[in-house]
Amino acid sequence: EICGCVHVAMASLTTRMKQIVVHRPSLPILTRASQTSTEDESNPPQRFPVNRIYCVGRNYREHAVEMGGDPDREPPFFFTKPSNAIVDVTDKNSGETSYTVPYPPMTSSLHHEGELVVAIGTGGLRIPSHKANDCIFGYAIGCDLTRRDLQADAKKKGRPWDTAKGFDFSAPCGPIVPKEEIQDSLFPPSSSSSETTSAYISLEVNGEKRQGSTLDNMIWNVPDTISYLSKYFKLQPGDLIMTGTPGGVSDIVVGDFVSVKCGTLPSCDFTIGAPE
């Protein structure tokens, strides 16, 4: 009789577990070859599995100032978003011109923060700056959506930023381009014969420019950011690092069309939809 009860309980547990389906978030990988090939069921696009999302706070002088921070170079600080906050903006329904991100609950001040996203291909702990580029798989453009009123309240009370930064759909992101196909256009090699400028990152809302800066205006560049972050966390393949936003963050509302661009990377375009 006891064995029978155990069997029934195990069968019930098995049935319940089948109802629990957890989808691992991922982003498409866009290569030159994939842009010229025909995608079908036998040739699906490759995807980058998202493990963790790290974000760098106040990594551009202008944004540090507008947020009331110290614009001088100080040790970087980080916060995280859950991996399922990622939004593949290319995954729009047929006939749609852009992906629709629902306006989040419990806020009346949703802000945009356009950012360069670094995708980690090989991880490590205590990675030296001069070896950090070896860990990079590729780059993308993303947007750190922020419930600014909740963040301001959390700052005032000395509380974590989770509800302000880590909500559903809070990390729209474009496809990832492998490092070897984009690195030199984002960060041109220095030349003694002429000055070189890193790529320009910008964010527009309904065609109006709100944010803009060259990537070399980061307070902490990408290799230094990776190196510093790896002192605290053992970076792993699939990790994403959102590298901070330029000045000009402001409110977005239902119906707004947001477009984040940087150099020749595919843009991150999305529309703010009605609340769920």
Side-chain angles (χ1 to χ4, degrees), residues 98-170:
S98 68
Y99 190 99
T100 298
V101 174
Y103 195 94
M106 302 299 292
T107 184
S108 58
S109 182
L110 178 65
H111 274 207
H112 56 73
E113 297 189 6
E115 311 200 7
L116 177 72
V117 180
V118 178
I120 299 298
T122 59
L125 191 64
R126 294 182 290 275
I127 301 166
S129 292
H130 68 276
K131 292 186 177 180
N133 278 333
D134 297 337
C135 301
I136 298 173
F137 174 82
Y139 297 91
I141 285 296
C143 190
D144 169 15
L145 293 177
T146 303
R147 294 192 272 209
R148 192 70 72 200
D149 46 358
L150 300 192
Q151 184 188 32
D153 187 59
K155 287 180 180 179
K156 187 190 312 180
K157 297 176 180 177
R159 294 176 177 174
W161 293 3
D162 297 62
T163 56
K165 291 285 192 177
F167 53 93
D168 296 335
F169 305 102
S170 63

Side-chain angles (χ1 to χ4, degrees), residues 7 41 62 98 121 130 165 191 201 219 270:
H7 178 74
E41 292 183 0
E62 296 82 0
S98 68
H130 68 276
K165 291 285 192 177
S191 172
I201 182 171
I219 298 173
F270 58 95

Side-chain angles (χ1 to χ4, degrees), residues 232-250:
Y232 295 93
F233 304 95
K234 185 175 183 178
L235 298 182
Q236 299 177 13
D239 287 346
L240 298 180
I241 303 174
M242 302 186 79
T243 57
T245 194
V249 300
S250 57

Side-chain angles (χ1 to χ4, degrees), residues 57-80:
R58 299 175 187 168
N59 201 25
Y60 287 79
R61 181 183 178 88
E62 296 82 0
H63 181 57
V65 171
E66 69 183 358
M67 291 290 102
D70 185 346
D72 295 325
R73 194 174 196 256
E74 57 183 358
F77 71 92
F78 304 93
F79 57 91
T80 62

Side-chain angles (χ1 to χ4, degrees), residues 77-92:
F77 71 92
F78 304 93
F79 57 91
T80 62
K81 292 175 180 278
S83 60
N84 63 357
I86 207 75
V87 176
D88 174 10
V89 297
T90 69
D91 187 26
K92 54 184 181 290

Side-chain angles (χ1 to χ4, degrees), residues 1-14 16:
E1 184 176 345
I2 293 177
C3 291
C5 291
V6 170
H7 178 74
V8 170
M10 290 300 297
S12 175
L13 178 61
T14 300
R16 289 163 59 195

